[in-house]
Amino acid sequence: MDAVYAAGSLPIAAEDTTTKTIATRLTIFGFVVLDEVQADGTVRRLRPSEAVRLSTAHPWRVSRPSSRYAIGNDLPASDLDLFAAQMG
């Protein structure tokens, strides 16, 4: 996370599932944002629910958020389980 904040953004290789998993967790808590880099070089912002379910098809760019992140009551139903307390 320090490297991301210092550089502004860092690439994650498509096959790097370990780093993608960690980046997804940081996204859930609002510390970073993720963009999926398409084959033509364009980027698409990923929601936490998408990041959890995505494969290794495309590389990602992990960046610091441009504004303060807050969890509201307007989350899509598909994202609600990401913020539920888990017993374990």
Side-chain angles (χ1 to χ4, degrees):
M1 198 165 78
D2 290 338
V4 171
Y5 275 68
S9 69
L10 292 173
I12 300 175
E15 64 280 353
D16 188 352
T17 57
T18 303
T19 305
K20 283 184 171 185
T21 300
I22 293 168
T24 298
R25 290 179 182 160
L26 293 172
T27 298
I28 290 169
F29 293 108
F31 295 121
V32 298
V33 293
L34 297 175
D35 296 309
E36 181 181 54
V37 182
Q38 306 296 314
D40 63 359
T42 59
V43 295
R44 184 178 71 87
R45 180 65 40 97
L46 298 175
R47 292 188 345 222
S49 61
E50 291 177 305
V52 167
R53 294 173 182 88
L54 280 181
S55 70
T56 58
H58 299 282
W60 290 358
R61 181 180 66 198
V62 58
S63 308
R64 62 180 170 202
S66 59
S67 64
R68 194 170 201 51
Y69 180 81
I71 300 172
N73 293 328
D74 58 343
L75 288 171
S78 61
D79 288 353
L80 291 177
D81 64 326
L82 297 173
F83 297 97
Q86 296 180 359
M87 303 301 279

